[in-house]
Amino acid sequence: MITYHVRFLCWWGLLLFCLKLGSRRELDYQLRDLEFHVLENVNRLAGTKQDSLPVNQTLSHFLGHVGSPALAQLRTDCVRRLIRNKVLDSTRLQGCFPIAVDGTGFLVFKERHCAHCLVHQHESYTCYLHPVLEAKLVDPRGLALSLGSEFIENPSEQTQTPDLSTLTSYETVKQDCELKAFARLAQSLKEHFPQTRFCLGGDSLYACGTVFSICARHHWSYVLTFKPGRTPALWEEFQSLLKLSPENRLTTTLPDKTQQCFRWVNDLKHEDDQGRIHTVHALLCEESGPAGKQTFAWVTDFRLSQKNVCAVASQAGRVRWNIENQGFNIQKNSGLNLEHAYSTDPDVMKAFYYLLQIAHLFLQMFEMGSLLRDLAQKHDTTPVGLFGSLKIMAQRLLDCFRYFQLGEAAFETSRCQIRLCDSG
Ligand SMILES: [Zn+2]
């Protein structure tokens, strides 16, 4: 029997995603060849002396043993290290790290897969879902780093299909689940990052008293999408006060000739359904440019002025979409295969989920970091331009990992520091 070191197996699992192999079985095909440098390179990364490569089942078995919370912790430690080393400081808005919160489909099964599945009843069929609520650090460059994940699921004792006739719509179920999951997510973020000040971004579902209260309790800021339907009285007050404060106005022109007109109102009072009074500020941005006319509105705890409205909109309000574009879409469609069931065991599939998040963090540092950018600048191009696409970049990384020995220089922290670059 061969015993593998924990670090070796963690790296083995991370390579599955860093090298975008797409499925567990590919570990056996793509990283098998002992005559290449694979074994030696994994040993070098892990600081181990294994004399053979494991098979892919060893990885699932290992993840089943360590459990998903250990991998979640590893993800948290990686992000904490980046924050401590000030790698992410340029993303800060008034001292806070902007994080976006949103839910996404993760796994979908045609038949009940476990006791925790959420049931989605379509007209002609039923499916069984495992959605996840993510908090990701986002910035205008396109970063989307996972800081917290809350799996939206039924508690284990509830194995019966919920009585859907008592529920008005699936949307109600989903929204209810998402805000409940957010309360748990916020709690765990506070535990893991007790001193870190965040600025929360989210869609209009989050623009409500529950979320204002959670943010106030945790000393976090927020910039949330503001829509008339979510809090109608607050929206009406905003509209009427806008007319009375013509001085709260700023127009700018973006490099692509888009005209932006910001208007805002400070100190709006909102009484929530629990009778709590919140003081909030609201910002409207009317845009006209090549993409046509668009209007955006946000509700925030940042007091607004000529000095900060542009930054609030660009660094917190608008980057919220990155969680969808740079976060979920890339994890689903770029070879990371987020929606692939790497395991059917409910806890092992979460462990794989965290490995994917850590690998995506590494890949973002690789793709957006200074090492590749410096090289690209020498060739008068961008990091992606060097290779053609992110997909080819992953293939080259795999080639290098198989055919070349990792050099000493890669492990010298003084020579091999990654900085995030200023421009996108
Ligand atoms: Zn399930």
Side-chain angles (χ1 to χ4, degrees), residues 345-389:
D345 177 282
D347 193 60
V348 176
M349 67 190 200
K350 290 181 192 170
F352 274 106
Y353 182 89
Y354 289 119
L355 282 178
L356 189 159
Q357 300 308 321
I358 298 166
H360 192 205
L361 180 151
F362 291 176
L363 287 171
Q364 290 182 70
M365 291 299 130
F366 174 58
E367 292 158 6
M368 290 184 230
S370 49
L371 291 179
L372 217 46
R373 182 165 297 263
D374 292 349
L375 182 68
Q377 268 166 2
K378 282 182 199 151
H379 294 82
D380 221 12
T381 181
T382 60
V384 176
L386 273 179
F387 299 93
S389 71

Side-chain angles (χ1 to χ4, degrees), residues 109 112-117 129-130 349:
F109 300 94
R112 177 172 280 288
H113 147 267
C114 71
H116 309 281
C117 298
L129 312 174
H130 279 262
M349 67 190 200

Side-chain angles (χ1 to χ4, degrees), residues 220-259:
W220 296 343
S221 287
Y222 53 85
V223 177
L224 303 161
T225 300
F226 189 14
K227 285 202 175 142
R230 186 71 175 119
T231 44
L234 183 61
W235 180 265
E236 264 176 47
E237 199 194 347
F238 175 43
Q239 294 303 314
S240 52
L241 288 174
L242 267 181
K243 294 190 191 96
L244 301 174
S245 28
E247 71 286 1
N248 290 351
R249 183 187 179 93
L250 179 76
T251 52
T252 57
T253 308
L254 299 179
D256 71 351
K257 305 265 193 297
T258 300
Q259 297 267 349

Side-chain angles (χ1 to χ4, degrees), residues 51-320:
D51 50 20
S52 68
L53 288 164
V55 290
N56 85 71
Q57 290 89 334
T58 311
L59 179 59
S60 302
H61 186 78
F62 161 70
L63 294 174
H65 264 282
V66 294
S68 64
L71 277 304
Q73 186 62 47
L74 186 61
R75 186 268 318 266
T76 304
D77 290 345
C78 289
V79 181
R80 271 210 289 241
R81 176 69 70 91
L82 290 180
I83 290 177
R84 202 178 322 125
N85 290 355
K86 304 189 187 305
V87 177
L88 304 172
D89 272 6
S90 60
T91 67
R92 287 187 194 234
L93 170 67
Q94 296 187 211
C96 305
F97 290 104
I99 56 170
V101 175
D102 201 2
T104 190
F106 162 36
L107 297 178
V108 182
F109 300 94
K110 289 204 184 88
E111 309 202 324
R112 177 172 280 288
H113 147 267
C114 71
H116 309 281
C117 298
L118 292 191
V119 184
H120 186 183
Q121 190 91 53
H122 290 269
E123 269 179 25
S124 57
Y125 64 98
T126 306
C127 60
Y128 299 87
L129 312 174
H130 279 262
V132 59
L133 186 68
E134 270 281 313
K136 291 188 198 287
L137 189 143
V138 286
D139 83 346
R141 272 177 301 228
L143 268 188
L145 302 177
S146 173
L147 274 83
S149 315
E150 190 63 40
F151 296 91
I152 306 177
E153 54 190 16
N154 284 319
S156 49
E157 61 271 21
Q158 187 188 338
T159 52
Q160 295 299 308
T161 305
D163 181 6
L164 291 171
S165 62
T166 60
L167 300 162
T168 46
S169 74
Y170 174 67
E171 225 21 48
T172 322
V173 188
K174 200 183 85 174
Q175 297 200 345
D176 184 42
C177 288
E178 193 165 318
L179 275 185
K180 276 187 196 154
F182 174 70
R184 301 194 298 272
L185 179 66
Q187 189 64 38
S188 99
L189 273 176
K190 190 66 193 173
E191 280 163 21
H192 290 117
F193 300 91
Q195 307 295 334
T196 310
R197 286 188 59 215
F198 292 121
C199 170
L200 183 78
D203 65 25
S204 60
L205 169 70
Y206 293 88
C208 65
T210 307
V211 175
F212 301 156
S213 297
I214 289 174
C215 287
R217 195 161 65 238
H218 294 336
H219 305 286
W220 296 343
S221 287
Y222 53 85
V223 177
L224 303 161
T225 300
F226 189 14
K227 285 202 175 142
R230 186 71 175 119
T231 44
L234 183 61
W235 180 265
E236 264 176 47
E237 199 194 347
F238 175 43
Q239 294 303 314
S240 52
L241 288 174
L242 267 181
K243 294 190 191 96
L244 301 174
S245 28
E247 71 286 1
N248 290 351
R249 183 187 179 93
L250 179 76
T251 52
T252 57
T253 308
L254 299 179
D256 71 351
K257 305 265 193 297
T258 300
Q259 297 267 349
Q260 288 183 320
C261 175
F262 294 101
R263 291 188 293 148
W264 61 93
V265 173
N266 285 319
D267 300 316
L268 291 160
K269 294 277 183 270
H270 171 63
E271 181 175 352
D272 68 19
D273 54 7
Q274 310 286 313
R276 293 170 296 205
I277 309 285
H278 307 273
T279 301
V280 298
H281 320 296
L283 175 62
L284 191 74
C285 171
E286 289 161 314
E287 242 183 49
S288 59
K293 277 190 192 247
Q294 283 180 294
T295 302
F296 308 95
W298 297 282
V299 62
T300 176
D301 71 319
F302 288 126
R303 249 193 113 69
L304 299 166
S305 73
Q306 307 266 349
K307 289 200 181 91
N308 68 359
V309 286
C310 289
V312 167
S314 68
Q315 280 177 257
R318 316 178 66 100
V319 291
R320 188 183 75 69

Side-chain angles (χ1 to χ4, degrees), residues 23-24 38 45 63 84 181 205 254 336 354 361 398 411 422:
S23 77
R24 244 178 349 137
V38 174
L45 286 171
L63 294 174
R84 202 178 322 125
L205 169 70
L254 299 179
L336 290 167
Y354 289 119
L361 180 151
L398 173 62
F411 296 90
D422 289 335

Side-chain angles (χ1 to χ4, degrees), residues 17-32:
F17 297 103
C18 285
L19 303 174
K20 299 190 179 173
L21 301 183
S23 77
R24 244 178 349 137
R25 269 157 36 110
E26 291 296 312
L27 279 171
D28 297 343
Y29 299 125
Q30 302 282 2
L31 297 183
R32 211 48 281 184

Side-chain angles (χ1 to χ4, degrees), residues 30-43:
Q30 302 282 2
L31 297 183
R32 211 48 281 184
D33 313 282
L34 288 167
E35 67 268 33
F36 300 139
H37 291 283
V38 174
L39 175 63
E40 172 187 5
N41 282 341
V42 187
N43 271 325

